[in-house]
């Protein structure tokens, strides 16, 4: 999307969530640090509650731990809203070390959340940072994350918010055996979308429950493989979710 399209999406998100939920917008959809800072300020200005920040794309091995700290500090100091650190080495080629995450959380009260895609770092971060930062981890590590004190789930399944919220509430209340049973009973539902399906899978699933979704832009293929489409239909039918949005 263009910068103006991204701004419109974030403005719509902020307005829709106002008074109902916290809005969180990723500002780092650019390899330019100056653009990331501008995005963070723009999104804060339109009412976004939390700015989410990934390491700049394409920096890879050239980004030292001190460079990572300085980058996040620059973005954090540019806004007044809370900041979520997003650690996703698979996407950007940079891993944010636990020591840097803990240091940022200690030095900046605004750093209140972390989306951590490397579950092997979670315990180290908890040991260093304690409760100074809330950790959100991705499927399939929701249950072990809850067991070691992670504060939330990150889900790539916007078509089943109720099912994810219900599992989170069971985990948050410490009912681990009940959570384990629910997780595996619904594993086919929770595991529907993967990075391989990505945008096409999310849009197809949202269409099945009743939202009018547009296509995708090149170079993405507009269609999911027929076997994936069948699997999505069967799973949503099984849980009575097809066509539930009117």
């Amino acid at each position: 999307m263009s910068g103006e399209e991204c701004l419109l999406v974030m403005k719509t998100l902020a307005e829709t969530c106002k008074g109902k939920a916290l809005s969180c917008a990723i500002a780092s959809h650019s390899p330019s640090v100056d653009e990331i800072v501008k995005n963070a300020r723009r999104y804060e200005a339109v009412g976004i509650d939390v700015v989410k920040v990934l390491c700049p794309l394409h920096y890879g091995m050239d980004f030292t731990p001190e460079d990572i700290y300085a980058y996040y500090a620059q973005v954090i100091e540019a806004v007044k809203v809370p900041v979520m650190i997003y650690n996703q080495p698979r996407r950007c080629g940079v891993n944010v070390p636990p020591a840097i995450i803990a240091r940022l959380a200690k030095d900046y009260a605004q750093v209140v959340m972390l989306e951590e895609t490397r579950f092997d770092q979670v315990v180290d971060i908890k040991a260093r940072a304690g409760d100074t930062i809330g950790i959100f981890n991705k499927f399939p590590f929701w249950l072990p994350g809850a067991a070691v004190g992670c504060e939330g789930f990150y889900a790539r399944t916007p078509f089943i918010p109720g099912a994810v919220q219900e599992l989170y509430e069971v985990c948050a209340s410490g009912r681990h055996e009940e959570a384990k049973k629910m997780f595996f009973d619904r594993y086919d539902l929770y595991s529907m979308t993967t990075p391989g399906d990505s945008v096409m899978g999310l849009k197809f699933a949202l269409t099945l429950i009743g939202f009018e979704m547009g296509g995708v832009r090149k170079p993405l293929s507009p269609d999911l493989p027929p076997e994936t489409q069948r699997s999505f239909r069967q799973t949503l039918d099984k849980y009575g979710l097809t066509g539930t949005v009117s």
Side-chain angles (χ1 to χ4, degrees):
M1 295 189 293
S2 69
E4 288 307 308
E5 287 172 324
C6 287
L7 182 60
L8 177 59
V9 168
M10 303 316 178
K11 185 173 184 292
T12 303
L13 175 67
E15 292 171 351
T16 303
C17 290
K18 191 173 180 62
K20 301 175 184 176
L22 290 178
S23 57
C24 180
I26 187 165
S28 42
H29 42 83
S30 167
S32 164
V33 176
D34 287 342
E35 276 301 308
I36 292 169
V37 169
K38 287 179 184 176
N39 289 338
R41 286 174 170 159
R42 289 187 195 111
Y43 300 159
E44 179 182 40
V46 298
I48 287 293
D49 297 304
V50 180
V51 171
K52 178 175 164 182
V53 186
L54 179 74
C55 278
L57 307 177
H58 315 310
Y59 278 60
M61 296 296 290
D62 295 330
F63 229 35
T64 70
E66 286 304 313
D67 291 332
I68 295 171
Y69 180 92
Y71 157 70
Y72 274 105
Q74 182 179 349
V75 180
I76 294 162
E77 291 170 6
V79 295
K80 293 183 174 62
V81 294
V83 171
M84 171 185 263
I85 296 173
Y86 179 21
N87 187 33
Q88 174 55 287
R90 186 181 66 84
R91 289 192 180 276
C92 67
V94 178
N95 178 57
V96 185
I100 295 297
I101 293 169
R103 183 175 153 200
L104 286 163
K106 178 182 177 182
D107 292 350
Y108 293 97
Q110 283 166 268
V111 177
V112 295
M113 293 184 235
L114 164 70
E115 182 186 327
E116 180 56 77
T117 64
R118 278 193 55 174
F119 187 71
D120 61 313
Q121 294 198 154
V122 165
V123 172
D124 193 356
I125 295 165
K126 274 289 178 188
R128 293 171 183 269
D131 295 329
T132 59
I133 188 167
I135 301 178
F136 292 70
N137 64 302
K138 289 190 174 186
F139 176 88
F141 299 110
W142 293 337
L143 297 190
V148 297
C150 289
E151 284 75 12
F153 296 170
Y154 177 83
R156 297 183 71 256
T157 48
F159 43 88
I160 54 166
V164 175
Q165 178 69 18
E166 187 176 6
L167 178 63
Y168 166 76
E169 289 173 353
V170 174
C171 285
S173 66
R175 291 137 56 199
H176 297 301
E177 287 302 315
E178 183 181 343
K180 183 169 69 173
K181 184 177 187 309
M182 183 182 292
F183 178 78
F184 286 111
D185 284 349
R186 297 175 177 175
Y187 188 81
D188 54 346
L189 187 64
Y190 292 135
S191 64
M192 274 181 62
T193 55
T194 67
D197 322 302
S198 194
V199 177
M200 301 85 76
L202 296 179
K203 288 197 169 192
F204 184 71
L206 286 165
T207 299
L208 290 176
I209 67 170
F211 284 102
E212 291 294 329
M213 303 300 297
V216 296
R217 297 181 181 181
K218 293 180 179 179
L220 295 178
S221 169
D223 297 314
L224 287 174
E227 59 272 20
T228 304
Q229 294 187 35
R230 283 194 298 271
S231 173
F232 277 27
R233 288 183 188 277
Q234 289 170 357
T235 302
L236 292 176
D237 284 345
K238 173 183 172 182
Y239 292 94
L241 295 171
T242 306
T244 52
V245 176
S246 58

